[in-house]
């Protein structure tokens, strides 16, 4: 990392010179050079370092070959062995899947018929060293020590590009292993076909987190194939086609007076023919594709410009902005077709379909961030959710490759849709969207039958009852807001009243949300607010009562009233951050990480909590704790995330909070004011407008807001609306080392 830091410093110095000479090139150098994709690849961040473009279909990245929690993305920075380079990866999830269509260059003939019980027995694995590894947005490079091959990867939206540089006079060969699987994934049926002397194709059907995943592929090489060995279920097969549960292939190529071999690979959920259509045409100009990927990232990163003399803050910020734009991923093919969960092929008309919708995480900050950065893409994501509704008649929970994983609680496609509509984002059928939202919350799956019967979910009838009740209450509030906007008064009143379900579970004596029996009176005893039991026989999802008792973002004022007063509320809220960090229980959730007292920044349920002081007339406490989180929970190392990245949410929190804003209630159209960390942040809006946030005198000690103006007019409130932000302007803060307890009241 020291070498990488020196490289960043060197690039930054060179960039400064270029800015003075030729301003047109400055964005390319400034934005991409501040991103370090290795951040989050260590610890429990679960990110991958490989190549993709913003929201791209392809994520071509190295796989270490280990099945373990910290290797959910296929890669962990602590490792030094690579098994190959596959084409689909998850960014920062706590569950492992994908790693489909593995390629690995080698320099000798291998026996692929032997069974490999673990990666130790993989004949094509190789050692590598981080000294000889580099990643930037849109590209990845590593030197394989055992075969002495340099591997470079880059990507367009639907095509991965590989460049292998072999040692002089070495055999030039590539292994393709469709049986390769890690973590939850398992191949069910695979096939490889040698189509001609430059092209192979095939498919891989698998089960795992996504129970019915079908990936078709085509690969084209820059040199003719001179020899092949096809393997089906560990047996050599003759001919040009191999079929079986596990198939693999070794290809050999004529050196042709060059030690470089290039390949381009495209995928499809529909068919080999669609994969061929997705495959980029033209030659194998690797550098051109790499430059285009870099330019795509520069455009994505240039939507926000931050100014600070602290280079590490730029690295954290732009890496966060990068991670917030890798998922959801493009799912529909060039012709618009994609596969649905019931195995039907449908066509996305006038939109791009997306998959990898980690909604329990991303509805909180990443999806609201995209309403600012890329509203057109937001409407495509909403249409993707509505296409899923057409199949299931229920909106998605957590979809992966069109499969409903039913992972996590609530139906948080609902706040994403409501947020988009209420912010004026067009491009989807609002009436159909409301129909989907209402139908979802009125069906009986996933505890909604109990929720409708009792007004809450009794702990003795369903695990994680408190978390689920609180999240359904929020989803109800979002349905109500959508109904109100559409003039559906009866629906508005019904869902708004039901959104008060949190009132049933608040225990005024302890100050916590607690599991209540179906008798409507009895609490779940014994009660220990620090107790965690991961995903079973518990009232809370991946956490405890301390972390899950604060999810009432839709009505903080009423929540405070339940506590009795602002003073009681803020005292308990302050205690959350100052209580000992002990977590009790024999099966503590590993997701409880990034602890500040009992506040757990490493998991999403805590993300809004620090901003609740604003509603209790103590905004200086929000400023203090937000700055403390910014300073302690993110850094520039591979361990730079305090918990799962979760498809952009952990990073989106930083993007918002470092600028001084946060969508505490994601579908409200309001951003809470926190504590800006940059001297200046400029949001470049559609239509050429800008919204500028300035923090005069900001420093490590000056993080309290003393005063503020909006376009030169006194600004004395703790939130600002999305509508105000879109109008453009300048929000100017004066910062100091002591709280101004009169500001914002």
């Amino acid at each position: 990392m020291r070498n990488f830091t020196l490289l960043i410093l060197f690039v930054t110095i060179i960039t400064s010179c270029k800015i003075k000479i030729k301003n047109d090139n400055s964005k390319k150098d400034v934005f991409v050079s501040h991103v370090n994709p290795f951040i989050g690849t260590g610890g429990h961040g679960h990110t991958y370092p490989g190549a993709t473009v913003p929201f791209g279909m392809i994520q071509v990245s190295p796989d270490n070959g280990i099945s373990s929690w910290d290797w959910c993305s296929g890669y962990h920075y602590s490792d030094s062995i690579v098994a190959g380079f596959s084409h689909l990866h998850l960014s920062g999830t706590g569950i492992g899947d994908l790693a489909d269509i593995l390629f690995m260059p080698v320099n000798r003939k291998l026996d692929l018929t032997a069974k490999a019980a673990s990666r130790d027995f993989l004949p094509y694995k190789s050692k590598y060293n981080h000294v000889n590894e580099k990643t930037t947005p849109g590209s990845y490079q590593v030197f394989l020590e055992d075969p002495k091959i340099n591997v470079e990867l880059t990507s367009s939206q639907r095509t991965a590009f590989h460049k292998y540089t072999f040692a002089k006079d070495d055999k030039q060969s590539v292994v393709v292993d469709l049986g390769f699987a890690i973590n939850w994934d398992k191949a069910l049926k695979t096939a490889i076909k040698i189509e001609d002397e430059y092209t192979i194709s095939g498919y891989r059907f698998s089960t795992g987190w996504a129970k019915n995943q079908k990936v078709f592929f085509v690969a084209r090489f820059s040199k003719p194939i001179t020899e092949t060995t096809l393997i089906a279920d560990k047996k050599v097969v003759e001919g040009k086609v191999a079929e079986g549960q596990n198939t693999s292939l070794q290809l050999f190529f004529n050196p042709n007076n060059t030690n470089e071999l290039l390949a381009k690979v495209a995928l499809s959920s529909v068919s080999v023919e669609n994969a061929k259509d997705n495959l980029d045409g033209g030659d194998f100009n690797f550098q051109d594709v790499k430059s285009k990927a870099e330019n795509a990232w520069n455009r994505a990163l240039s939507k926000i410009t931050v100014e600070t003399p602290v280079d590490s803050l730029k690295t954290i910020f732009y890496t966060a902005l990068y991670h917030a734009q890798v998922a959801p991923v493009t799912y529909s093919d060039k012709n618009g077709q994609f596969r649905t969960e019931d195995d039907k092929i449908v066509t996305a008309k006038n939109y791009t379909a997306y998959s990898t919708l980690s909604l329990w995480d991303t509805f909180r900050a990443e999806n609201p961030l995209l309403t600012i950065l890329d509203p057109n893409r937001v409407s495509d994501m909403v249409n993707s959710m509505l296409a899923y509704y057409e199949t299931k008649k229920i909106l998605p929970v957590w979809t992966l490759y069109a499969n409903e994983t039913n992972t996590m609680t609530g139906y948080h496609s609902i706040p994403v849709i409501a947020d988009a509509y209420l912010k004026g984002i067009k491009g989807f059928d609002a009436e159909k969207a409301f129909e989907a939202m209402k139908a979802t919350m009125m069906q009986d799956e996933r505890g909604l039958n109990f929720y409708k019967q009792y007004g809450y979910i009794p702990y003795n009838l369903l695990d994680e009852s408190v978390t689920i009740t609180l999240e359904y209450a929020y989803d109800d509030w979002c349905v109500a807001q959508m109904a109100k906007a559409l003039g559906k008064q009866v629906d508005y009143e019904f869902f708004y009243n039901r959104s008060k379900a949190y009132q049933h579970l608040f225990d005024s004596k302890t100050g916590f949300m607690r599991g209540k029996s179906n008798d409507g009176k009895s609490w779940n005893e014994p009660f220990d607010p620090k107790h965690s039991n991961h995903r079973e026989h518990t009232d809370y999802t991946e956490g405890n009562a301390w972390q899950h008792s604060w999810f009432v973002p839709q009505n903080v004022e009423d929540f405070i009233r339940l506590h009795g007063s602002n003073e009681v509320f803020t005292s308990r809220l302050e205690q959350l951050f100052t209580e000992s960090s002990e977590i009790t229980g024999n099966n503590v959730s590993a997701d409880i990480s990034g602890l500040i007292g009992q506040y757990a920044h490493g998991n999403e349920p805590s993300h809004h909590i620090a901003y609740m002081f604003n509603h209790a007339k103590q905004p200086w406490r929000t400023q203090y704790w937000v700055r403390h989180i910014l300073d302690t929970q993110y850094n520039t190392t591979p361990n730079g995330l305090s918990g799962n990245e979760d498809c952009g949410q952990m990073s989106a929190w930083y993007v918002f909070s470092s600028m001084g804003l946060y969508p505490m209630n994601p579908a409200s159209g309001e951003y809470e004011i926190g504590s800006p960390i940059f001297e200046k942040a400029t949001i470049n809006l559609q239509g050429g407008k800008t919204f500028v946030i300035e923090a005069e005198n900001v420093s490590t000690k000056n993080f309290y807001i003393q005063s503020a103006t909006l376009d030169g007019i006194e600004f004395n409130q703790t939130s600002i609306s999305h509508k105000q932000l879109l109008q453009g302007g300048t929000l100017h803060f004066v910062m100091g080392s002591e709280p101004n307890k009169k500001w914002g009241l």
Side-chain angles (χ1 to χ4, degrees):
M1 282 308 298
R2 182 175 180 273
N3 291 338
F4 185 87
T5 304
L6 290 173
L7 177 62
I8 290 293
L9 180 60
F10 174 76
V11 172
T12 304
I13 294 171
I14 296 299
T15 295
S16 300
C17 298
K18 288 185 178 180
I19 290 173
K20 296 175 183 178
I21 298 169
K22 192 173 182 180
N23 192 53
D24 288 345
N25 290 334
S26 63
K27 285 187 178 180
K28 174 180 177 181
D29 296 320
V30 171
F31 297 115
V32 174
S33 67
H34 284 301
V35 177
N36 177 4
F38 283 125
I39 293 175
T41 60
H44 302 318
H46 295 156
T47 62
Y48 60 82
T52 191
V53 294
F55 310 100
M57 176 181 280
I58 296 278
Q59 310 89 41
V60 57
S61 188
D63 295 307
N64 297 130
I66 284 182
S67 294
S68 182
W69 191 56
D70 278 333
W71 279 259
C72 282
S73 74
Y75 176 99
H76 196 265
Y77 197 81
S78 63
D79 215 324
S80 59
I81 302 291
V82 64
F85 307 90
S86 63
H87 293 78
L88 294 174
H89 292 85
L90 290 163
S91 178
T93 64
I95 301 178
D97 204 337
L98 304 184
D100 293 78
I101 321 297
L102 186 85
F103 277 43
M104 184 65 167
V106 295
N107 63 350
R108 58 190 175 87
K109 191 174 183 65
L110 302 175
D111 178 11
L112 298 178
T113 63
K115 292 184 178 181
S118 70
R119 79 166 181 186
D120 295 338
F121 299 96
L122 289 175
Y124 47 75
K125 70 180 186 300
S126 174
K127 293 181 180 179
Y128 70 98
N129 192 299
H130 294 307
V131 172
N132 298 314
E133 183 185 32
K134 180 183 178 181
T135 178
T136 60
S139 67
Y140 173 85
Q141 174 271 324
V142 68
F143 181 74
L144 305 179
E145 295 181 355
D146 296 332
K148 293 182 171 54
I149 300 170
N150 191 58
V151 175
E152 297 174 76
L153 307 172
T154 190
S155 176
S156 66
Q157 187 179 21
R158 292 183 174 88
T159 301
F161 288 77
H162 300 239
K163 180 180 178 182
Y164 308 136
T165 305
F166 294 83
K168 186 179 180 181
D169 299 327
D170 268 6
K171 280 185 180 292
Q172 296 182 14
S173 178
V174 175
V175 170
V176 179
D177 189 349
L178 302 189
F180 174 81
I182 52 175
N183 292 309
W184 292 32
D185 179 61
K186 179 184 178 182
L188 296 176
K189 183 180 180 182
T190 66
I192 305 176
K193 179 181 180 181
I194 302 166
E195 297 219 349
D196 57 43
E197 62 178 340
Y198 292 97
T199 311
I200 64 171
S201 65
Y203 61 81
R204 185 178 190 272
F205 301 167
S206 62
T207 187
W209 194 13
K211 299 300 182 186
N212 178 35
Q213 188 193 355
K214 295 185 176 179
V215 182
F216 299 85
F217 80 97
V218 63
R220 192 162 294 156
F221 296 91
S222 61
K223 296 179 180 180
I225 301 166
T226 59
E227 181 186 346
T228 64
T229 304
L230 275 167
I231 308 294
D233 296 329
K234 300 304 178 183
K235 294 180 181 179
V236 177
V237 297
E238 300 297 325
K240 296 190 175 184
V241 177
E243 295 179 306
Q245 181 178 357
N246 298 300
T247 56
S248 57
L249 166 71
Q250 185 167 11
L251 301 169
F252 297 87
F253 300 86
N254 190 323
N256 282 354
N257 300 318
T258 172
N259 59 352
E260 292 182 355
L261 173 67
L262 294 100
K264 48 185 176 180
V265 184
L267 309 182
S268 167
S269 69
V270 175
S271 66
V272 168
E273 288 305 309
N274 274 22
K276 291 178 180 179
D277 188 43
N278 288 340
L279 189 71
D280 288 354
D283 57 19
F284 289 83
N285 192 329
F286 184 90
Q287 188 58 46
D288 182 57
V289 178
K290 179 180 175 182
S291 295
K292 288 178 178 177
E294 185 176 282
N295 289 338
W297 276 114
N298 274 305
R299 288 192 297 273
L301 298 171
S302 69
K303 292 173 182 177
I304 304 177
T305 303
V306 297
E307 298 178 26
T308 174
V310 184
D311 283 344
S312 61
L313 293 182
K314 288 184 180 179
T315 298
I316 296 170
F317 179 86
Y318 282 110
T319 303
L321 193 57
Y322 164 79
H323 278 141
Q325 297 180 86
V326 299
V329 302
T330 299
Y331 184 54
S332 54
D333 295 329
K334 276 186 180 178
N335 64 7
Q337 291 185 327
F338 62 97
R339 186 179 298 272
T340 57
E341 189 172 32
D342 58 0
D343 253 352
K344 292 180 180 177
I345 306 303
V346 300
T347 301
K349 296 180 180 178
N350 300 317
Y351 74 96
T352 298
Y354 288 88
S355 183
T356 311
L357 299 173
S358 181
L359 294 163
W360 188 80
D361 309 292
T362 62
F363 88 92
R364 304 167 196 269
E366 194 215 9
N367 290 108
L369 179 63
L370 296 182
T371 66
I372 300 172
L373 301 182
D374 208 338
N376 293 333
R377 203 182 301 269
V378 171
S379 67
D380 284 2
M381 293 174 186
V382 171
N383 279 314
S384 302
M385 298 174 198
L386 296 180
Y388 179 87
Y389 170 75
E390 285 297 307
T391 301
K392 297 281 287 186
K393 298 306 175 187
I394 299 174
L395 284 167
V397 176
W398 207 130
T399 58
L400 175 62
Y401 235 69
N403 285 242
E404 180 55 84
T405 68
N406 272 314
T407 302
M408 310 314 293
T409 48
Y411 283 98
H412 298 317
S413 46
I414 288 173
V416 173
I417 296 170
D419 186 41
Y421 182 73
L422 295 171
K423 286 178 178 174
I425 293 176
K426 309 298 183 183
F428 62 92
D429 186 332
E431 289 291 341
K432 180 180 177 181
F434 179 77
E435 170 200 312
M437 295 162 72
K438 180 178 177 180
T440 297
M441 292 307 294
M442 292 306 293
Q443 47 88 23
D444 291 331
E445 293 186 12
R446 293 163 46 86
L448 275 168
N449 54 334
F450 302 132
Y451 182 76
K452 290 191 295 184
Q453 180 179 353
Y454 297 99
Y456 63 96
I457 297 176
Y459 79 85
N460 54 322
L461 299 182
L462 188 68
D463 279 350
E464 303 182 343
S465 62
V466 173
T467 299
I468 297 171
T469 297
L470 297 180
E471 294 187 5
Y472 282 162
Y474 182 68
D475 292 339
D476 273 345
W477 184 86
C478 294
V479 178
Q481 303 313 304
M482 187 79 167
K484 185 177 182 180
L486 293 172
K488 301 178 186 293
Q489 186 64 23
V490 173
D491 287 323
Y492 167 73
E493 292 176 2
F494 174 83
F495 286 102
Y496 182 77
N497 288 331
R498 209 171 70 164
S499 74
K500 299 175 184 177
Y502 60 87
Q503 294 176 353
H504 291 287
L505 301 186
F506 182 75
D507 176 14
S508 59
K509 292 182 179 179
T510 63
F512 293 101
M513 296 287 183
R514 295 182 57 185
K516 182 178 282 187
S517 171
N518 61 345
D519 65 12
K521 300 176 182 178
S522 308
W523 298 114
N524 191 0
E525 301 286 0
F527 176 65
D528 175 3
K530 294 183 178 180
H531 185 268
S532 166
N533 196 34
H534 184 65
R535 303 310 308 264
E536 60 181 12
H537 308 305
T538 180
D539 295 336
Y540 311 96
T541 302
E542 295 182 353
N544 60 23
W546 270 112
Q547 292 131 27
H548 282 266
S549 290
W550 306 96
F551 192 68
V552 190
Q554 71 271 31
N555 200 339
V556 183
E557 285 68 26
D558 185 56
F559 188 33
I560 293 171
R561 180 190 62 78
L562 292 178
H563 281 268
S565 67
N566 281 336
E567 290 71 27
V568 173
F569 177 81
T570 53
S571 175
R572 288 172 175 167
L573 190 51
E574 184 76 9
Q575 188 181 354
L576 169 73
F577 292 94
T578 58
E579 182 71 18
S580 77
S581 295
E582 176 193 17
I583 307 294
T584 60
N586 297 321
N587 184 30
V588 172
S589 176
D591 295 282
I592 303 175
S593 61
L595 285 167
I596 303 172
Q598 286 288 315
Y599 173 90
H601 191 71
N603 209 17
E604 282 69 23
S606 288
H607 280 188
H608 70 290
I609 299 176
Y611 290 91
M612 300 183 92
F613 286 112
N614 278 354
H615 287 255
K617 302 187 184 306
Q618 295 193 12
W620 63 90
R621 291 180 184 256
T622 285
Q623 294 156 32
Y624 176 86
W625 287 115
V626 167
R627 182 57 185 260
H628 185 73
I629 297 165
L630 286 165
D631 288 344
T632 62
Q633 302 300 304
Y634 298 84
N635 62 61
T636 59
T637 73
N639 295 343
L641 299 174
S642 60
N644 296 337
E645 166 60 17
D646 282 318
C647 296
Q649 170 58 27
M650 192 68 66
S651 289
W653 188 96
Y654 189 91
V655 171
F656 266 125
S657 296
S658 63
M659 294 191 296
L661 308 175
Y662 192 75
M664 184 202 71
N665 177 356
S668 68
E670 297 284 327
Y671 303 104
E672 297 293 324
I673 304 295
S675 179
I677 203 169
F678 301 113
E679 280 80 353
K680 184 177 181 181
T682 302
I683 303 173
N684 298 303
L685 303 165
Q686 286 191 333
K689 292 182 179 180
T690 61
F691 187 79
V692 179
I693 303 167
E694 298 173 338
E696 183 181 339
N697 299 327
V698 70
S699 69
T700 55
K701 294 181 179 179
N702 295 343
F703 51 80
Y704 289 112
I705 296 172
Q706 305 299 299
S707 63
T709 58
L710 180 61
D711 293 333
I713 300 171
E714 183 182 3
F715 185 83
N716 193 39
Q717 60 191 56
T718 59
S719 67
I720 189 169
S721 71
H722 184 77
K723 183 177 180 180
Q724 286 175 295
L725 188 149
L726 291 187
Q727 290 173 352
T730 300
L731 180 59
H732 182 90
F733 295 105
V734 177
M735 311 300 289
S737 60
E738 297 293 330
N740 176 2
K741 296 184 179 181
K742 295 181 180 180
W743 183 84
L745 302 183

